[in-house]
Amino acid sequence: MCSLFLEAESFRAPGGWVIDPSAMHEMGSAYLMAHGIGTPVADAVTEIEIAESAVYHIRARTRDWTAVWKRGTPAGRFTLRIDGFELPEILGTNGEKWAWQKAGSLHLSAGTHSVALHDLTGFNGRCDAIYFSTDPDDVPPDGGTALEQFRREKNGIAAVDDPGEYDLIVAGGGIAGTVTALAAARLGLRSLLLQDKSVLGGCNSSEVRVPLGGCTHIGAYPNIGNTVREIAPVYLMPGARPAEWYEDTRKINAFRNDCAGEAELRLNERVVSVETDPADPALITAVVTRSTVSGRETRYRGRLFSDCTGDGFLAAAAGAKYLYGTEGRNVFGESLAPDESSNEVMGLSVLWTSALEERPVSFPDIDWGIEFSEENCYYLTGGDWETETGQYRNQVEEIEYIRDYSLMTTFANWSFLKNHSKRKEEWANRRIDWISKCGGKRESRRFIGDYIMTQNDIEQEIRHPDGTASISWSIDLHYPEPENRERFREPFRSCAYHRGIPSCCGVPYRCLYARDVKNLFLGGRLISLSHVAFSSARVMRTLGCLGEVAAMAAKVCMEQNVLPRGVYERHFDRLKEKMQLGIPVPTQFDCPSVGRWESYHFKELGHFRYDEREQHYNLSEQTRADIRRLHKEHLFRHTGK
């Protein structure tokens, strides 16, 4: 028998297909997705070497992602083309679970052949891998450890050691992780940033398009924020904008601007396992990554680690304990907590925008997903933070479904507006010009440090002796929008409750490292806070500032030969000195002034005059006018009114 296993994400030219690594922890690899907004995308193309002339039976690992809603024609249909010949079976029609679907059989001569994924719909068809075998009964395992072992054997996967040893290894290239790795390098540490995508910035990248929230250079340590400013794009206003406004390249160029050569960046590499000291399992010695493109594995050794992955893949693999969901009032005694604990979290938002053309633009009249009507549709021209899904689901284990549900409801609603609504003439010239392929998460696992910060710490203005960078955003809790939740079996829109905070509140250093993993810092969404307190600290400038603190603490660890807890117990004065000085800024970098949105929305609010009766900030009349104007612009952009 002769066989060949081909990973779809490793195609030489992906064409219009995009690599999606979001469910890699469940599947073992990334996959290709035809993200075409209803217009078929260009073929993904590669070449294979066939060792033996024979008839090959060809299968693709795929799924019908809209089958879970049990209505209509499968959305993500595609075919396979071998040397330009289209195999007979339409793929992506095999049910809601990932499985091997036969594409056809074909005689292939020994030598080089071209393989193409040919999209038929533009509606997010997906392919994990393709398998060629001369045995018609040879079908690879469908999933789990069996498929993982099969994949490793067929791909010849074995971890290759990176030659270096790093002072600090950071997993996750959102704002928090990017800042942590850069700041550590600015302090002279040899740092490594591992990012599973081709861009940096996380929610502030062109893939998601969320502006940075929160303030830098405030509170007890006004010099914290230099590295955040260094990588922050100039664009500061709310609402999704064109890709170039998020300055993905600027974030990557910051690593190239590292004069000392201490900061290293590895894109398209995801942490898949952790190695610990046999004599002390609570001490991480190395992480193993898998390329989201080639599948190659690499082992990186380090002395200190920081998990900024958003879901805590590194921390969980190392055995760190975490919180998930909403704590009941009896857990921390918080007035904003509900009576009982639950798994409800703030959800994921798939932002989208539309454009008005000079002539009518068609959109497929789809029959899959939720059926919309005049009674339940939404007359929208864009989707911002309020487009939110997955509040009652597991944001780690069900991330593909959560993202897909947002895509489905957006496309199904838009199809109704364009093709059947009583106002369809108003939408005739409109087209969706961009929609996020992955969405942006608000909340996932929160890992437990030596202290868990709560609403009471913030509102009672508790000044912890190990306070660090300050929270500057209001308590900002998202909930499923009540009417939407009543109309549909599962909500896909949200509302927000804002409650002002009385002052700049420093996050305790003890929230920034894991309680039960000795050399692990926590960054981004993982920091040790209650659900309510997290809603205030979760914005990206704040998390970036806390990343600077973690980098400074790592420097103290290296100087004093201690672990993160040792900084708190014996050397916090040294960390305070570094926080007072701030992270050095490269001489080539001219730190810009505070942007207008940060200036009036945060800095002016940053006086933090708190009104106990109204529970909001006392704003100047000019600020109120600015916010009213922005609100009107927001409504016009999303409703046309």
Side-chain angles (χ1 to χ4, degrees):
M1 183 187 76
C2 188
S3 65
L4 184 147
F5 186 86
L6 176 63
E7 294 279 15
E9 64 273 19
S10 67
F11 269 43
R12 173 184 54 80
W17 296 66
V18 296
I19 295 176
D20 184 358
S22 59
M24 195 168 168
H25 54 289
E26 297 288 325
M27 299 179 56
S29 77
Y31 59 82
L32 281 185
M33 182 170 68
H35 189 57
I37 318 180
T39 300
V41 304
D43 290 358
V45 178
T46 196
E47 292 75 36
I48 58 172
E49 289 294 326
I50 293 295
E52 176 184 312
S53 295
V55 172
Y56 284 82
H57 306 277
I58 306 167
R59 291 176 169 83
R61 188 165 188 259
T62 182
R63 64 181 290 249
D64 170 11
W65 67 274
T66 54
V68 293
W69 298 289
K70 305 184 187 310
R71 175 178 174 264
T73 309
R77 306 185 302 279
F78 65 100
T79 58
L80 276 182
R81 291 177 171 178
I82 311 296
D83 297 329
F85 176 78
E86 191 164 46
L87 296 180
E89 296 301 319
I90 295 178
L91 303 171
T93 59
N94 58 331
E96 64 184 75
K97 294 184 178 180
W98 282 96
W100 292 96
Q101 183 176 8
K102 189 166 183 180
S105 301
L106 190 65
H107 185 276
L108 297 176
S109 60
T112 303
H113 297 269
S114 69
V115 180
L117 296 177
H118 180 64
D119 178 33
L120 299 176
T121 69
F123 282 123
N124 299 84
R126 51 204 68 179
C127 182
D128 172 30
I130 303 167
Y131 188 60
F132 299 76
S133 178
T134 56
D135 181 352
D137 298 321
D138 180 21
V139 182
D142 269 336
T145 55
L147 177 58
E148 170 69 11
Q149 184 60 33
F150 182 87
R151 200 187 295 270
R152 296 182 71 86
E153 291 174 359
K154 291 295 183 180
N155 290 340
I157 296 175
V160 176
D161 284 321
D162 182 87
E165 181 174 13
Y166 298 89
D167 299 323
L168 178 65
I169 294 178
V170 182
I175 292 297
T178 302
V179 168
T180 302
L182 279 173
R186 303 289 185 254
L187 292 170
L189 299 185
R190 188 180 184 199
S191 70
L192 171 68
L193 178 61
L194 303 168
Q195 165 69 329
D196 63 1
K197 297 183 177 182
S198 60
V199 298
L200 296 176
C203 288
N204 186 242
S205 71
S206 62
E207 289 187 332
V208 184
R209 305 190 186 183
V210 176
L212 298 180
C215 298
T216 60
H217 302 92
I218 59 171
Y221 300 101
N223 285 323
I224 291 179
N226 289 347
T227 310
V228 179
R229 290 263 187 96
E230 182 185 346
I231 66 166
V234 173
Y235 164 65
L236 298 168
M237 301 297 284
R241 303 289 175 168
E244 61 270 17
W245 290 40
Y246 299 87
E247 301 185 61
D248 295 340
T249 304
R250 177 177 182 173
K251 301 174 179 88
I252 292 174
N253 282 345
F255 285 83
R256 299 169 180 158
N257 196 35
D258 172 31
C259 300
E262 298 292 346
E264 296 193 33
L265 172 63
R266 302 286 188 276
L267 297 173
N268 300 311
E269 291 196 31
R270 186 184 184 103
V271 172
V272 293
S273 64
V274 169
E275 297 177 359
T276 58
D277 188 339
D280 187 353
L283 201 65
I284 303 171
T285 57
V287 294
V288 177
T289 66
R290 180 172 297 166
S291 169
T292 60
V293 178
S294 69
R296 184 186 64 184
E297 291 190 352
T298 307
R299 178 182 292 102
Y300 296 100
R301 292 173 292 116
R303 297 180 63 181
L304 299 167
F305 298 82
S306 178
D307 190 336
C308 300
T309 60
D311 289 313
F313 294 121
L314 193 164
K321 301 295 189 298
Y322 58 86
L323 304 170
Y324 188 90
T326 300
E327 294 81 31
R329 192 166 299 142
N330 64 317
V331 178
F332 298 117
E334 298 170 305
S335 65
L336 290 178
D339 291 337
E340 302 292 334
S341 297
S342 73
N343 286 329
E344 181 178 342
V345 295
M346 291 179 282
L348 170 143
S349 288
V350 174
L351 276 59
W352 61 280
T353 59
S354 70
L356 191 61
E357 304 294 346
E358 294 181 355
R359 56 182 62 86
V361 181
S362 64
F363 190 80
D365 187 0
I366 63 179
D367 64 351
W368 41 263
I370 290 176
E371 186 171 8
F372 282 88
S373 66
E374 211 62 61
E375 286 68 41
N376 67 1
C377 73
Y378 290 88
Y379 282 98
L380 301 171
T381 60
D384 206 333
W385 61 267
E386 71 284 345
T387 303
E388 190 169 337
T389 53
Q391 296 96 329
Y392 302 127
R393 292 185 176 270
N394 188 303
Q395 290 279 336
V396 181
E397 297 173 4
E398 299 179 273
I399 183 56
E400 188 180 10
Y401 173 92
I402 293 167
R403 185 273 317 274
D404 288 350
Y405 186 61
S406 191
L407 288 175
M408 180 274 290
T409 52
T410 299
F411 290 145
N413 184 73
W414 187 258
S415 179
F416 175 78
L417 298 185
K418 293 280 291 182
N419 297 299
H420 300 287
S421 74
K422 64 183 181 182
R423 294 170 56 187
K424 64 182 181 181
E425 292 305 316
E426 297 176 45
W427 265 256
N429 289 21
R430 280 204 171 269
R431 64 177 177 87
I432 297 177
D433 63 343
W434 175 80
I435 185 167
S436 175
K437 67 180 181 181
C438 52
K441 286 186 185 180
R442 282 178 184 79
E443 184 178 10
S444 186
R445 298 161 170 162
R446 289 167 284 113
F447 285 77
I448 299 174
D450 277 347
Y451 187 81
I452 300 174
M453 190 180 191
T454 71
Q455 173 194 348
N456 300 324
D457 291 285
I458 297 172
E459 293 196 331
Q460 295 173 17
E461 301 184 66
I462 297 175
R463 304 301 185 200
H464 292 277
D466 62 330
T468 63
S470 292
I471 294 173
S472 54
W473 195 260
S474 64
I475 290 174
D476 179 5
L477 290 161
H478 286 215
Y479 301 96
E481 196 276 316
E483 185 178 348
N484 180 262
R485 185 176 56 190
E486 290 299 318
R487 284 184 180 182
F488 300 92
R489 292 180 60 185
E490 184 169 355
F492 55 86
R493 294 185 67 76
S494 69
C495 57
Y497 170 82
H498 286 265
R499 180 160 162 174
I501 60 176
S503 65
C504 296
C505 183
V507 176
Y509 169 69
R510 288 165 291 163
C511 299
L512 306 184
Y513 60 86
R515 180 182 67 186
D516 41 13
V517 181
K518 294 180 179 178
N519 58 342
L520 178 63
F521 289 102
L522 304 173
R525 293 193 297 266
L526 310 188
I527 57 178
S528 183
L529 280 74
S530 71
H531 169 77
V532 175
F534 170 77
S535 75
S536 180
R538 63 186 171 85
V539 291
M540 286 181 277
R541 278 197 187 85
T542 300
L543 298 178
C545 288
L546 292 171
E548 291 188 17
V549 174
M552 297 176 198
K555 178 66 171 179
V556 176
C557 287
M558 299 303 294
E559 290 174 342
Q560 303 300 318
N561 194 28
V562 295
L563 296 173
R565 181 179 287 114
V567 175
Y568 169 70
E569 294 176 335
R570 300 189 295 279
H571 302 289
F572 194 75
D573 284 346
R574 289 188 175 270
L575 178 56
K576 287 175 67 174
E577 291 172 3
K578 295 186 186 302
M579 290 191 292
Q580 288 163 355
L581 290 172
I583 300 295
V585 178
T587 55
Q588 306 98 307
F589 178 73
D590 181 17
C591 192
S593 60
V594 179
R596 184 165 180 265
W597 174 254
E598 184 178 357
S599 175
Y600 80 73
H601 189 59
F602 301 121
K603 283 297 187 183
E604 194 161 333
L605 303 186
H607 293 302
F608 297 107
R609 291 179 292 141
Y610 189 66
D611 188 315
E612 292 289 351
R613 179 176 57 83
E614 297 185 9
Q615 292 188 340
H616 62 65
Y617 298 109
N618 289 314
L619 308 181
S620 71
E621 283 306 312
Q622 181 59 51
T623 301
R624 289 180 186 277
D626 283 342
I627 290 176
R628 283 195 296 270
R629 177 179 55 77
L630 280 173
H631 183 62
K632 288 180 180 178
E633 290 177 0
H634 175 84
L635 288 176
F636 180 79
R637 187 170 65 252
H638 293 287
T639 67
K641 296 181 180 179

